[in-house]
């Protein structure tokens, strides 16, 4: 079976500093994977390379069997990949529903769709679909609110619904649980489990190890842009290199 | 209708068309400070085709508009690589260059100006402006308008969601240029005279002011802004030479109070909510 995401020999430097060095790992379909490591290890850089925000120096990135290494960033969503940002990136001036409609773009990209006056029809199928997706996650009450005014935890989950509306089969989440209170974290976990139940593969960057433990089957550990360990969290935790990276070598 | 009132309304119609020409790219976050140049292209092209080739005006005007749009498309592709203040400078220079070309083009009269043969009356101008407003209202109901805001709000995320950010920006710029050319062509045929000096930087800057004043968040902003800018100085006419000073002070005060413009999404939403609440209250009272 082809992997949801396969990274081979990925390398990226910024002004001579190697941010990612010869990184290789795979995210098999349906295996929720965490990318962990100390601050500055290169986790977000990996997301930026995979989503195409940065170009790669060397290596290949394959999503669902399609080589996206040199594909323009806006075309990559067509291969089934979507991502969230560490600081939530919703369009603040649009309503929740309108953000969902932008999320549907990749499945409605024709000129005809672009010029359809959907706003004239209260029950246009795009709006109905978006409302249903919000309702499924218990977020329908927010549909007509402007995004900028909503609570943080709600915005995080709206970001997830938008990604699913884009038809993503591989979702990269950058610190989804950061800044959430315990009940918001629980709501997020339930939401992610629903997505996993729908067959969406998750790749998660996260510092909260309880959270990682509760949803991830596989963990890839980065330090200084290199992979230092891979496997189930319980096994990775015992790894000497991982302990040194996290705690500091003097304690090891 | 008195001649004076008709004259003012005709100016309003031209200002509305110009305002929407600026609004389209501005809604996508791009300031076009050279709109007068695109109006000049539409005006001169339509005048030239009717004068020299005896084209009927109704064929020449759309061609003038299309030429302005095409110029916007061709120039927009490289110019829209710049952002912020640099884009403003580039479009500013562009407007000046276009105007300077017509000023030196002897085939259309050069600095002496260019008389235009066919005449379109005030009703024709009103109809043209109404047509532009209807087109804009239509577009505001589509995904195109949604993507304009999305691209302005967060181009990176819009891109990652598959929206062609450059495509939307160039389309808005070119469509705005076509609207400017459309208005310019009507201008030529209504006043029966065009001169390059009319399409100067002040015209561009004033038009941007209408739009910013009315607000870029909704499709109604440019209409309200253009109406205010056209009618307020006329209403202040009684104060004679002080009217422009009063008007300027008013603008400064107003922009300080409502920097996001006169008509905003929250304002419209508030009104809508009030209406539905009112309707709900009325129906419960009836019951």
């Amino acid at each position: 079976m082809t992997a949801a995401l396969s990274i081979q020999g990925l390398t990226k430097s910024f002004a001579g500093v190697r941010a990612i060095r010869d990184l290789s790992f795979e995210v098999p379909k349906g295996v929720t994977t965490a990318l962990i490591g100390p601050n500055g290890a290169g986790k977000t850089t990996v997301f930026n390379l995979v989503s195409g925000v940065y170009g790669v120096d060397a290596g290949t990135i394959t999503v669902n069997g399609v080589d996206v290494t040199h594909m323009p960033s806006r075309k990559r969503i067509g291969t089934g990949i979507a991502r969230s940002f560490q600081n939530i990136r919703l369009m603040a001036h649009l309503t929740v529903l309108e953000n969902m409609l932008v999320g549907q773009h990749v499945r409605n990209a024709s000129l005809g769709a672009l010029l359809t006056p959907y706003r004239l029809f209260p029950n246009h199928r795009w709006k109905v679909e978006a409302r249903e997706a919000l309702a499924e996650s218990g977020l329908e009450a927010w549909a007509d609110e402007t995004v900028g005014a909503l609570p943080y935890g709600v915005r995080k989950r709206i970001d997830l619904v938008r990604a699913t509306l884009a038809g993503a089969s591989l979702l990269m989440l950058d610190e989804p649980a950061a800044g959430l209170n315990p009940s918001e974290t629980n709501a997020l976990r339930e939401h992610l489990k629903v997505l996993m139940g729908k067959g969406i593969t998750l790749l998660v960057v996260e510092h909260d190890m309880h959270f990682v433990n509760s949803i991830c089957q596989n963990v890839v550990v980065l330090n200084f842009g290199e992979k230092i360990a891979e496997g189930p969290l319980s096994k990775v935790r015992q790894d000497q290199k991982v302990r040194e990276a996290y705690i500091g070598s003097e304690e090891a | 209708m008195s001649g004076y009132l008709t004259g003012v309304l005709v100016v309003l119609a031209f200002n509305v068309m110009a305002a929407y020409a600026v609004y389209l790219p501005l809604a996508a976050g791009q300031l076009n400070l050279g709109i007068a140049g695109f109006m000049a292209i539409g005006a001169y092209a339509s005048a030239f085709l009717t004068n020299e080739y005896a084209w009927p005006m109704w064929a020449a005007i759309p061609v003038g508009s299309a030429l302005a749009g095409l110029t916007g498309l061709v120039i927009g592709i490289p110019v829209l690589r710049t952002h912020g203040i640099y884009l403003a400078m580039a479009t500013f220079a562009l407007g000046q260059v276009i105007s300077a070309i017509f000023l030196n083009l002897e085939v259309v009269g050069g600095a002496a100006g260019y008389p235009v043969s066919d005449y379109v009356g005030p009703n024709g101008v009103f109809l043209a402006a109404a047509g532009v407003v209807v087109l804009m209202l239509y577009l505001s109901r589509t995904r195109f308008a949604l993507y304009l805001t999305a691209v302005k709000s967060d181009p990176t995320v819009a891109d990652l969601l598959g929206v062609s950010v450059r495509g939307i920006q160039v389309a808005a710029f070119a469509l705005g240029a076509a609207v400017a050319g459309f208005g310019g062509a009507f201008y030529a045929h209504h006043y029966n005279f065009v001169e390059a000096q009319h399409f100067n930087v002040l015209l561009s800057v004033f038009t941007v002011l209408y739009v910013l004043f009315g607000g870029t968040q909704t499709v109604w902003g440019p209409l309200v802004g253009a109406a205010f800018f056209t009618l307020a100085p006329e209403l202040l006419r009684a104060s004679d030479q002080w009217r422009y000073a009063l008007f300027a002070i008013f603008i400064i005060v107003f922009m300080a109070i409502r920097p996001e413009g006169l008509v905003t999404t929250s304002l419209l939403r508030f009104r809508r909510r009030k209406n539905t609440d009112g309707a709900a209250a009325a129906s419960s009272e009836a019951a």
Side-chain angles (χ1 to χ4, degrees), chain A residues 51 53 73-74 77 83 85 89 91-92 94-95 98 101-102 104-106 108 113-120 126 144-146 162, chain B residues 138-147 149-151 153-165 168 217 265 269 272-273:
Chain A
S51 59
V53 175
S73 51
R74 78 177 169 88
I77 196 159
R83 71 171 287 188
F85 284 82
R89 302 272 289 265
M91 281 93 180
L94 295 178
T95 63
E98 286 169 335
L101 285 157
V102 180
Q104 294 166 338
H105 167 75
V106 70
N108 298 285
L114 189 71
L115 297 177
T116 301
Y118 73 92
R119 282 187 58 194
L120 295 177
W126 293 333
D144 296 314
E145 300 293 329
T146 306
R162 185 174 67 180
Chain B
Y138 177 86
L139 284 180
S140 76
R141 287 343 189 210
T142 65
R143 279 182 176 271
F144 181 68
L146 183 68
Y147 297 162
T149 317
V151 161
S153 191
D154 196 330
T156 306
V157 170
D159 174 80
L160 291 180
L161 288 170
V163 176
S164 169
V165 174
I168 291 288
Q217 291 183 9
T265 39
R269 211 164 282 150
R272 212 171 293 146
R273 200 164 289 169

Side-chain angles (χ1 to χ4, degrees), chain B residues 110-182:
Chain B
Y114 192 47
V116 184
S117 56
D118 282 8
Y119 173 71
V120 59
N123 289 338
V125 177
F126 298 151
L127 211 64
V132 168
V133 174
V134 168
L135 175 70
M136 293 301 145
L137 285 176
Y138 177 86
L139 284 180
S140 76
R141 287 343 189 210
T142 65
R143 279 182 176 271
F144 181 68
L146 183 68
Y147 297 162
L148 290 180
T149 317
V151 161
K152 181 185 181 181
S153 191
D154 196 330
T156 306
V157 170
D159 174 80
L160 291 180
L161 288 170
V163 176
S164 169
V165 174
R166 295 261 302 144
I168 291 288
Q169 287 173 336
V170 170
F173 191 82
L175 199 57
V179 169
F182 186 70

